[in-house]
Amino acid sequence: QVQLMESGGGWVQPGGSLRLSCADSRSIFNFARMGWYRQAPGKERELVADFTSADRTTYVADSVKGRFTISRGSAKNTVYLQMNSLKPEDTAVYYCNAYFPSAGLFWGQGTQVTVSS
């Protein structure tokens, strides 16, 4: 029904930038909310940012506010997470998460982001 495909992770030096992409490859349903969580080793998974389709509002966690931006892509069921001024503490596995009223809640497989010198 829904298949979330993530891309854009990798290694970057502190201060660098990465852009994560998440797309529903099947695009059968319309999402109500799509966003990104992250989980660092030994820590709980936390919400980083999300986008609500109905009113086009965004949420960005305080820990990344001013550095990360979430936006909706022109393709159906696609969102991007632009990450600037990356810090070592941003190192984590980033997971795309999406809620579809007609299909439920789905997770991507995760993409590793490593920030180190």
Side-chain angles (χ1 to χ4, degrees), residues 47-52 57-65 70 81:
L47 176 63
V48 177
D50 69 10
F51 179 95
T52 299
T57 57
T58 60
Y59 165 84
V60 179
D62 287 342
S63 59
V64 302
K65 195 166 292 183
I70 189 168
L81 184 68

Side-chain angles (χ1 to χ4, degrees), residues 33-55:
R33 181 185 55 76
M34 186 177 281
W36 293 91
Y37 285 71
R38 69 183 181 185
Q39 188 166 20
K43 294 188 176 181
E44 293 187 354
R45 192 171 295 190
E46 62 174 351
L47 176 63
V48 177
D50 69 10
F51 179 95
T52 299
S53 181
D55 55 9

